Amino acid sequence: MNMVRLSWKYLVAKPMNTGLNILLLALGLAIITVLILIQDQFENQMSRDAKGVDLVVGAKGSPLQLILSSVYHIDFPTGNIDLKEAKGVSRNRLVKKTIPLSLGDNYGGYRIVGTNHDYLDLYEVSFASGGAWEKPFEVVLGSAVAEKLNLKVGDTFMGSHGIGSSSHEHDHHDYRVTGVLAPSGKVVDKLILTSLESVWFTHGKEGEHDHDKMENAVAKRGFPETEEDRQITTLLIQYRSPMAAVQLPRFINSRSSLQAASPTFEISRLFELLGVGIKLIKGLAFVIIFIAGLGIFIALYNSLKERRYDLAVMRTIGASKGQLFVHIVLEGIILTSLGAIVGILMGHLFLSFLVMGQEQGALSNISAWIFLKAEVWILVYAITVGVFASLIPALGAYKTDIAKQLTK
Amino acid sequence: MILARDISFSYKETEQIHIPDIELGEHDELLVIGKSGSGKTTLLNILGGLLKPQQGTVKINQTDIYQLKGAKLDKFRGANIGMVFQKPHILAPLTVEENLALAQFFSGKAKQSSIDKILHDLGISKKKQSKVNALSEGEAQRVSIARALVNNPKVILADEPTASLDDENAETVVKMLKEQAHNMGAALIIVTHDQRVKEHVANQIIMGGQL
């Protein structure tokens, strides 16, 4: 027999009461757990995917949409820009490096992104099999794409027009898989990557289908050499110096047809918008936790009345006042610790339901069974609630007058 | 074993409770008889270290118990004084065995063999894993005796131990108390107004005048 066992015995003697208190507290803590998990992973994901991209240049429209569409590949693009204009921007002395992207097609709901090998370097990809594209219509698949669509190196498929699924198929040329990327946890997992030329030739006029072009190697760095009027969707830019952050967006935005947006700025704006909702849910969670704490307090306080005799008996068999105090506080702590553990597990379970069936959306890269250091703080927080809820009842136990109690 | 001298106690200043001097050695027995309200339980609480008298000393095994402070007195009580009450007061969430183990835990005298022995001696071995609501009144009182005795106390204090028992159980309980006190060489003090106990203990004092 020891103090923890003694307190535990008294708790299981009232299973309904104990269970209800644990459940209520667990519910509050589960909500907090879900919020912490989503926030942490979402923010990590967001900053990982935007790493190395200082500025995005695209067609005029909503700057947030531009960022979501061309960095995170969630939203639809704002439109296309002229290749010549894009080249003009890339020659600016404040620009260190540019990566062109051309969107427009999909296969099985996964976006086909026309770009160059710089994009692969940006996300520091490694290949699970095969290698990068060399010629038009050669593609590299993100790990999730290859897995879901069951494609491997050497397979061919026909892209469809549009960003989402359910659009008509292009009927001129097959894409051929030359490489599959290893899982990285970044946005490239969900993309089909190819050359700019592939996208251009798909959307080109009928006459362009001459075979020489198809056999020419594509541009692996920078822009392809072309005399024709071509378009791209966006341009990812890395600054040469911090000074660029001040001058370049203003310079680009003042041009009529182009828009520049900073991922960091737009994402913090997005979080600000979401923040109101998150605060509301958090507030609700804290109210639930407070009620749970109150419930534990009332349960302990009431049980104290029934237990004064038990406490007096404990004193006659050698328990000190301090031990009775510890006995009651331990009950509170055991209750809330269990509540925390159940709550944390419930939170992860909730999140796994939430993420289930989300393969391409914004939550697709969140995994429910990652445990964070912050969850230890949930446990500490819960234990604090337990201590506070049991403090007054424990003091009552401490002060129990044995002689008076026994002669009653 | 136990010595109480010059004790005076009053709940209110006007009503002084007269407490007789007591001195008992090993194997000694004492029956304190008195009407309700005569201060019997007060005497027992004072002897058991539960109620500090205004004056006088209580010595158990040469230790002046009211010189012990706080937790030390509690530990001393747990280890050296076994108390039995009118009602058994078995802790309901615990089994019979756990009730006894708790007494050992609080007094710091953990020993499984003494639990088994005392349960066997009192004829309730079979009830070891039972909760209090599965016990008859007589069995419950025997469990409370077992809990009082599991630490081999020097003094056994019993407050109306037979009051809520039928004749048969009352006799068994008194016999067991006497037998166990004798076996462990403890002094036994029974406080009662129960006439059935009188014939079992020769050494008697009366509190609060004649019955």
Side-chain angles (χ1 to χ4, degrees), chain A residues 316-331:
Chain A
T316 66
I317 58 176
S320 64
K321 287 179 169 192
Q323 278 174 315
L324 295 193
F325 185 86
V326 170
H327 168 52
I328 302 292
V329 170
L330 268 178
E331 268 185 48

Side-chain angles (χ1 to χ4, degrees), chain A residues 1-3 5-6 9-10 13 309-321 323-324 401-404 406-407, chain B residues 41-42 45 50-51 71 74-75 77-78 81 83 85 89-94 98-99 101-103 105-107 147 151:
Chain A
M1 188 56 64
N2 57 50
M3 295 306 291
R5 248 176 75 99
L6 180 65
K9 290 278 175 185
Y10 271 86
Y309 229 118
D310 282 20
L311 294 171
V313 168
M314 287 180 201
R315 291 290 305 279
T316 66
I317 58 176
S320 64
K321 287 179 169 192
Q323 278 174 315
L324 295 193
D401 184 335
I402 347 170
K404 212 183 251 175
L406 289 173
T407 42
Chain B
T41 299
T42 304
N45 285 340
L50 299 177
L51 194 62
D74 293 315
K75 294 296 141 210
R77 183 191 310 119
I81 305 172
M83 300 189 84
F85 305 101
H89 299 310
I90 312 298
L91 304 183
L94 307 181
E98 287 164 344
N99 264 278
L102 188 66
F105 166 71
F106 280 135
S107 64
R147 188 177 60 195
N151 290 330

Side-chain angles (χ1 to χ4, degrees), chain A residues 6 11 63 80 88 98 189 209 228 241 269 320 341 347 352 379 407:
Chain A
L6 180 65
L11 282 176
N80 280 344
T98 59
D189 286 357
H209 283 270
E228 293 163 60
S241 69
R269 209 165 63 96
S320 64
I341 292 164
S352 72
L379 186 67
T407 42

Side-chain angles (χ1 to χ4, degrees), chain B residues 2-21:
Chain B
I2 183 162
L3 180 93
R5 186 151 293 156
D6 308 327
I7 291 181
S8 78
F9 184 85
S10 61
Y11 287 106
K12 286 177 246 162
E13 286 199 11
T14 47
E15 290 174 43
Q16 192 75 18
I17 297 173
H18 173 72
I19 310 270
D21 284 359

Side-chain angles (χ1 to χ4, degrees), chain A residues 46-341:
Chain A
M46 286 290 188
S47 56
R48 250 203 322 264
D49 287 345
K51 199 182 158 208
V53 181
D54 294 325
L55 197 69
V56 178
V57 174
K60 286 256 189 248
S62 145
L64 182 58
Q65 187 187 352
L66 180 62
I67 299 296
L68 290 178
S69 65
S70 49
V71 178
Y72 303 110
H73 297 279
I74 301 168
D75 209 349
F76 292 90
T78 45
N80 280 344
I81 56 174
D82 268 343
L83 180 64
K84 287 194 182 90
E85 273 189 289
K87 277 182 172 170
V89 170
S90 70
R91 279 193 293 268
N92 192 298
R93 64 186 167 79
L94 295 166
V95 172
K96 184 178 166 199
K97 193 176 182 184
T98 59
I99 304 172
L101 296 183
S102 195
L103 305 170
D105 288 352
N106 79 87
Y107 176 63
Y110 290 101
R111 291 181 181 201
I112 299 172
V113 179
T115 180
N116 60 31
H117 290 191
D118 288 337
Y119 194 70
L120 299 175
D121 298 342
L122 177 68
Y123 289 114
E124 296 163 336
V125 299
S126 57
F127 283 89
S129 60
W133 62 88
E134 304 284 336
K135 289 176 182 166
F137 293 100
E138 290 183 340
V139 299
V140 166
L141 304 181
S143 58
V145 182
E147 196 194 317
K148 287 288 168 202
L149 300 182
N150 204 13
L151 290 170
K152 54 188 184 306
V153 174
D155 288 350
T156 59
F157 61 88
M158 193 81 82
S160 314
H161 192 66
I163 295 283
S165 34
S166 81
S167 306
H168 81 271
E169 283 187 9
H170 285 289
D171 43 9
H172 4 265
H173 212 288
D174 281 350
Y175 287 104
R176 204 171 60 79
V177 180
T178 60
V180 174
L181 299 179
S184 63
K186 293 174 191 167
V187 69
V188 284
D189 286 357
K190 304 183 285 186
L191 298 178
I192 299 169
L193 302 171
T194 184
S195 55
L196 281 174
E197 287 91 332
S198 308
V199 178
W200 288 346
F201 295 162
T202 313
H203 295 121
K205 296 158 207 95
E206 279 306 313
E208 283 181 347
H209 283 270
D210 57 79
H211 276 272
D212 293 348
K213 259 181 179 173
M214 297 299 169
E215 292 309 317
N216 287 343
V218 297
K220 297 185 183 76
R221 307 282 164 195
F223 298 94
E225 290 301 326
T226 176
E227 294 305 314
E228 293 163 60
D229 277 339
R230 294 295 190 184
Q231 290 193 316
I232 62 168
T233 312
T234 49
L235 200 58
L236 308 182
I237 293 180
Q238 248 174 38
Y239 294 145
R240 187 173 295 282
S241 69
M243 183 59 98
V246 185
Q247 294 181 359
L248 199 56
R250 202 188 308 162
F251 172 70
I252 292 171
N253 283 328
S254 66
R255 294 189 170 199
S256 60
S257 61
L258 295 185
Q259 171 187 223
S262 145
T264 346
F265 179 77
E266 293 306 325
I267 289 311
S268 63
R269 209 165 63 96
L270 176 66
F271 281 136
E272 235 170 75
L273 292 172
L274 295 175
V276 180
I278 291 175
K279 264 183 201 153
L280 204 71
I281 298 172
K282 237 181 206 165
L284 184 71
F286 279 112
V287 169
I288 294 175
I289 292 168
F290 176 75
I291 294 172
L294 206 65
I296 292 168
F297 165 75
I298 292 170
L300 287 176
Y301 193 80
N302 282 340
S303 81
L304 196 67
K305 283 181 204 153
E306 305 158 19
R307 272 159 64 181
R308 288 214 180 267
Y309 229 118
D310 282 20
L311 294 171
V313 168
M314 287 180 201
R315 291 290 305 279
T316 66
I317 58 176
S320 64
K321 287 179 169 192
Q323 278 174 315
L324 295 193
F325 185 86
V326 170
H327 168 52
I328 302 292
V329 170
L330 268 178
E331 268 185 48
I333 290 177
I334 292 172
L335 262 178
T336 51
S337 303
L338 281 177
I341 292 164

Side-chain angles (χ1 to χ4, degrees), chain B residues 136-180:
Chain B
S136 73
E137 203 138 359
E139 284 168 340
Q141 190 60 302
R142 273 189 264 171
V143 172
S144 83
I145 294 172
R147 188 177 60 195
L149 301 184
V150 72
N151 290 330
N152 284 325
K154 303 284 180 289
V155 178
I156 301 164
L157 304 174
D159 187 7
E160 306 272 20
T162 57
S164 51
L165 300 177
D166 58 34
D167 290 351
E168 198 183 329
N169 274 315
E171 189 171 337
T172 321
V173 160
V174 174
K175 274 188 177 159
M176 279 175 172
L177 277 173
K178 286 183 57 170
E179 202 176 288
Q180 293 301 324

